[in-house]
Amino acid sequence: MEVTKMLLLLEIKRNLLRTPARTLITACLAALLVCSIAFYLRNIQVTQQALDELSVQMPVQARIITPDGSAHRNLRISTETFDALAAQDVRDVLCTSAFSFSLQSVDGKPDGGAMHVHAANAISAMDSLEPEGFTYLDGWDEGFLLADSPVCAVESSFAKEHGIELGSDIIADVCVISREESDVGEAGKLIEVASPHITVVALYEAQYTKMQGGWNACAPIGWLRSVTEAATDSEGKPVKFYYDSASAYIKSPRELNKFKAGMNERGIYEMSPIRRRDSSLLIGDTLSVDDEMYIKNSSELIENLATYSSFQLPFFGVVVTIIALITFLSLRSYRRDIAIASSLGRQKLLNAAAPFFSTLIVQALGCFLALSVIGLIVGMAPTLAGTIMCTFMLCAATGTALALLFLFRFDTLALLTKTD
């Protein structure tokens, strides 16, 4: 085995030095092919980067709206509709709902006040509230709205009026407006869903006026949904939870069609004249996607990317064919040597190993030379350079193997007895 390896290495070395001019030409042709691959893959990368930058500069937001598109807040959005939106490939999901806390006591002192509570999963989901306006209990921050425990933030003037401070323990009846029997926006009956101890973890300065909503507190919407769905009404029926608003940004706007198809599978469609209907109940069951500007600016880029992608197979097929042709022509003079070795009983696989590896070494040198020049002239990310090298070497190995396959289709005896 050691002798075979040594002989193979010596044969590879002999092939590399046997015809320096042919070796140099093969390396130069390999470098040209690498430049072509680099140009092709670089164009794909630049187009993808342009689309990614466009996604950041022009994010696409999806909202749940009324069937006629007249409103996207203070709606009646079912949990099924919200879950369908959140289950898609989206980011920055924002949602709100409305509750009422009927105070029983504050730090053990009886209190009969009522709190209008804005449930949300982020401060940015609530209009006119800024993170800078919040003061937090030690160990808490604006992520308190993602908690699954009974905590809340209270508006500072309301807190002062009722003796509420950071860390105060509130006992309150959590009530939800019944939306099964009354229109959204109308004063419906209140259903008590829980009476927990609630910890005040933040105080904030009000930005709302009473006409704009008059919220006295805000609390985690996830926790309020869980206590609502665990409750029953006076008739023993489960209490349904509804969102007031729901929106999200699509992670990859290039997958707009996939996103819309996913929503359609859940029975949620975009607004259309065919589906337009009365929205007096403000039922939120229709999809609105703010994609007009993105589509307008990305359509040409998407077409270019699709064109490049569709030509991948033909392009690399041509590269492999060129490599196979160059290799076949450069190795034709080795056929007599291969025939002699075959006549002496050497296996074809061993006969092919030396020309295969010597050719790959030359092509690898050409690849390295081309990438070095490109890197010095225009610069290139290491990941892209690695992708180009791996792609070319795969094409080189395939093309060389095909060339050797055709090269070995000869009659050994006929070739040995042939006279020039």
Side-chain angles (χ1 to χ4, degrees), residues 19-33 323 326-327 329-331 358-367 392 400:
T19 51
R22 185 185 302 168
T23 300
L24 180 61
I25 292 173
T26 302
C28 290
L29 291 174
L32 288 175
L33 289 175
I323 291 173
I326 293 171
T327 304
L329 293 176
S330 65
L331 294 180
S358 59
T359 302
L360 281 187
I361 291 172
V362 173
Q363 291 167 339
L365 290 173
C367 178
F392 173 74
T400 303

Side-chain angles (χ1 to χ4, degrees), residues 165-184:
E165 300 175 344
L166 287 175
S168 288
D169 177 62
I170 296 174
I171 298 178
D173 296 331
V174 178
C175 301
V176 60
I177 299 175
S178 171
R179 302 185 185 184
E180 297 300 310
E181 302 176 5
S182 61
D183 295 348
V184 173

Side-chain angles (χ1 to χ4, degrees), residues 256-301:
L256 266 173
N257 292 335
K258 182 179 179 181
F259 168 78
K260 293 178 181 179
M263 293 295 285
N264 294 346
E265 289 175 2
R266 301 289 191 98
I268 304 169
Y269 299 86
E270 290 186 272
M271 184 181 67
S272 68
I274 298 175
R275 300 187 67 254
R276 187 185 294 270
R277 61 182 187 276
D278 178 53
S279 297
S280 60
L281 298 181
L282 293 178
I283 297 175
D285 64 353
T286 303
L287 178 66
S288 171
V289 183
D290 185 19
D291 57 1
E292 183 177 349
M293 287 299 296
Y294 177 82
I295 291 175
K296 180 180 179 181
N297 288 275
S298 66
S299 56
E300 184 176 349
L301 291 173

Side-chain angles (χ1 to χ4, degrees), residues 21 31 49 69 78 106 139 164 193 204 243 261 266 270 305 358 360 374:
Q49 288 176 346
S78 69
V106 176
I164 298 173
V193 296
Y204 66 90
Y243 291 88
R266 301 289 191 98
E270 290 186 272
L305 187 60
S358 59
L360 281 187
I374 294 172

